[in-house]
Coordinates of all heavy atoms in Angstrom, one line a residue:
H68 N 96.7 -26.6 50.0 CA 98.0 -26.1 49.4 C 98.4 -24.8 50.0 O 97.7 -23.8 50.0 CB 97.9 -26.0 47.9 CG 99.2 -25.7 47.2 ND1 100.2 -26.6 47.2 CD2 99.6 -24.6 46.6 CE1 101.2 -26.1 46.5 NE2 100.9 -24.8 46.2
H70 N 102.3 -22.5 51.5 CA 103.8 -22.5 51.9 C 103.9 -21.5 53.0 O 104.0 -20.3 52.8 CB 104.6 -22.0 50.7 CG 104.3 -22.7 49.4 ND1 104.7 -24.0 49.1 CD2 103.5 -22.3 48.3 CE1 104.2 -24.4 47.9 NE2 103.5 -23.3 47.4
H236 N 103.5 -29.2 42.6 CA 102.9 -28.1 41.7 C 102.9 -28.7 40.3 O 103.9 -29.2 39.8 CB 103.7 -26.9 41.6 CG 103.8 -26.1 42.9 ND1 104.9 -26.2 43.8 CD2 103.0 -25.2 43.5 CE1 104.7 -25.4 44.8 NE2 103.5 -24.8 44.6
H267 N 97.4 -26.5 41.9 CA 97.0 -25.7 40.8 C 96.3 -26.5 39.7 O 95.1 -26.4 39.5 CB 98.2 -24.9 40.3 CG 98.8 -24.0 41.3 ND1 98.2 -22.9 41.8 CD2 100.0 -24.2 42.0 CE1 98.9 -22.3 42.7 NE2 100.0 -23.1 42.9
D318 N 97.3 -21.2 48.9 CA 98.6 -21.2 48.3 C 99.5 -20.3 49.2 O 99.0 -19.7 50.2 CB 98.6 -20.6 46.8 CG 99.9 -21.0 46.1 OD1 100.7 -21.8 46.7 OD2 100.1 -20.6 44.9
G319 N 100.8 -20.2 48.9 CA 101.7 -19.5 49.7 C 101.3 -18.0 49.8 O 100.7 -17.5 48.9
Ligands
LIG501 ZN1 102.3 -23.3 45.7

Side-chain angles (χ1 to χ4, degrees):
H68 187 69
H70 313 283
H236 293 99
H267 304 288
D318 201 5

